Amino acid sequence: DPRSVRSRSALIDTMTELLDSEVALESLSVTDIVRHAGVSRPTFYQHFGEVSLLVRAAAVHRLADTFAEIPDVAYGESWTTFARGTFHGLLTHLRDHVSFYKKAFVSAGSQALSEDVIDLIAARLLEVSPLVPILRNPSHAARPEDRALFLAAGTFWHVIRWLDSDFTGSNSVDAMVDRISVLLLTAAGVTDSEVAAVRAQVDLGSGGTT
């Protein structure tokens, strides 16, 4: 039903605008939201049931759009190319919308939202990153999916702490990308020489497992 699709989109767009604003999340009521969105209360409850579910939907929608804008890295590209392309774009987006995400990640549905984000990161690591051969190495006891989720969860919580920083100096986007890059490599079992190559921005694609 096109009307249903428009109503849902209006609610998500409204929540995105409200979270971007100076309005405190805890002060928002269903009445406020439906008035801004131009829909009825029954329509709100039909789609989401409660405010926390709308917050989650707005955050996932925005993050999914951001991931979609990050170009896929061709198989065989260097880890440096992948890390800088993926995490620089993601961290820049989070920094530019820090008020939105800090509210979303402390909302009532923050645990479910966190799992959504971890799943998005894990999928990218397992499907399009230069770590694919390492994560899918059959000699490891753990399932590839579990290894990817473990790495993604660590990355996520590191980023959440970073959102409380001033984003300058050692907390700049570039510095954070470098930290995440090296942490992921070491946690995945990549060798010290390969980590050093990443720091030197050397293409790993031509010389090893990555």
Side-chain angles (χ1 to χ4, degrees), residues 129-140:
S129 85
L131 285 181
V132 170
I134 295 173
L135 293 176
R136 295 191 179 278
N137 188 334
S139 66
H140 291 289

Side-chain angles (χ1 to χ4, degrees), residues 105 109-119 156-157 160:
F105 286 125
S110 60
Q111 180 174 344
L113 173 59
S114 299
E115 292 172 0
D116 291 333
V117 178
I118 290 168
D119 286 342
F156 172 76
W157 289 115
I160 288 296

